[in-house]
Amino acid sequence: MDFGLVLQTDPPAAQVVELMRRAERSGFSHGWTFDSTVLWQEPFVIYSQILARTERLVVGSMVTNPGTRAWEVTASAFATLNEMFGNRTICGIGRGDSAMRVAGRKPNTLARIEEAMHVIRELAEGREADLGGTVVRIPWIGQGARLPVWMAAYGPKALAVAGAKADGFILQLADVYLTEWMVRAVRDAAVAAGRDPGDVRVCVAAPAYVTEDDSPRALAHAREQCRWFGGMVGNHVADLVSRYGEHSDAVPGELTSYIAARRGYDYAHHGRSGNPDTAFVPDEIVDRFCLLGTPERHIEKLGALKALGVDQFALYAMHDAKESVVDAYGSTVIPALRG
């Protein structure tokens, strides 16, 4: 199992770079950031600094979207970084929840995501692609350029697109039951598309908070630091409920039932501990969606996810223990899962 660190690009950018360097020293293979251009600093500028100050870390977006950046710009940005630092980038892409809504736009359609994935990958790897009737190729990109494109998804139609078209599938929660259900859906879609399901990498992304013990006090603090995540996932779940209904065979109730008490969402607190719009998220959901407790508890849950075919765990570190969780994973958790 590989490990990634996920950060928001809050100022100062130098702190983001240093945390990514710390992650590489601790054995993490990937460094991811949010891409929401109004809420945070420009990630591609920061990627160049991360890549320049690390040796092996693969860096990318979790996630960008096809609506806030022209596709040829996205492809060129990734390709430029790859030319400079040797194919060490990855493109995570999705509908664009915060990036689009904060700018007053609706999230992108699945058809648009599917087309964008193809165009961005083709252009970034030096091949021709059709930009709405104009066929272009970026001439300075040479042979050997590579850009994996991984897609974030929850609903059945999105999972089908990920399985049929993406190089990897990003699931933003760490519930074992839901992971099994969604990985199966992605693999079935890959088979239906004539692909080897093993060619679709699987990444589970969720907050992780390491405690010294499993005392009620320690776990209560960890839950409060990570409760924001249930609210963030709830935005996507609310979209699914509006599309499929509250009780649908298409989406498991284990994913949708907890948002019954949800009352709106303010993106000013998006992805941050203490978010007042996430008070509706029960402790059970925090425990299911996140990884909390001693290193042994993390190792146990990650072992179960690995057995389901999860190739990477990407750790959200939006809490008050960024450095210590990276260090704990480096000293204990990563060696256990790679051993």
Side-chain angles (χ1 to χ4, degrees), residues 13 53 76 122 127 130 202 284:
R53 301 194 64 188
S76 180
E122 293 298 291
R127 296 183 292 273
D130 187 337
V202 177
E284 177 200 359

Side-chain angles (χ1 to χ4, degrees), residues 97-252:
D97 173 41
S98 65
M100 296 295 285
R101 286 181 165 131
V102 167
R105 308 182 188 116
K106 294 181 179 180
N108 294 272
T109 65
L110 291 177
R112 185 171 173 83
I113 294 173
E114 181 176 344
E115 184 181 3
M117 285 196 297
H118 173 75
V119 169
I120 290 168
R121 185 194 297 111
E122 293 298 291
L123 291 178
E125 295 186 349
R127 296 183 292 273
E128 290 184 345
D130 187 337
L131 286 172
T134 301
V135 176
V136 300
R137 186 180 75 84
I138 302 176
W140 51 263
I141 299 177
Q143 291 184 345
R146 294 291 179 267
L147 180 66
V149 180
W150 292 12
M151 179 181 168
Y154 290 109
K157 293 181 180 179
L159 295 170
V161 173
K165 300 296 182 180
D167 299 308
F169 161 50
I170 298 171
L171 173 59
Q172 291 167 307
L173 54 80
D175 178 78
V176 174
Y177 172 81
L178 291 173
T179 298
E180 182 177 17
W181 188 89
M182 294 187 186
V183 168
R184 185 187 310 118
V186 169
R187 287 175 171 164
D188 288 347
V191 171
R195 304 179 68 188
D196 181 346
D199 290 342
V200 184
R201 308 287 287 175
V202 177
C203 173
V204 161
Y209 199 101
V210 178
T211 61
E212 292 184 0
D213 55 48
D214 288 331
S215 66
R217 181 178 179 180
L219 291 175
H221 179 75
R223 289 188 186 105
E224 290 312 309
Q225 288 295 306
C226 299
R227 196 175 303 276
W228 62 266
F229 185 66
M232 187 185 84
V233 173
N235 294 329
H236 303 284
V237 174
D239 288 342
L240 293 177
V241 170
S242 67
R243 187 173 299 114
Y244 296 102
E246 293 184 15
H247 307 286
S248 169
D249 293 337
V251 184

Side-chain angles (χ1 to χ4, degrees), residues 7-19:
L7 298 174
Q8 295 165 338
T9 51
D10 283 316
Q15 186 176 64
V16 177
V17 176
E18 286 307 307
L19 279 167

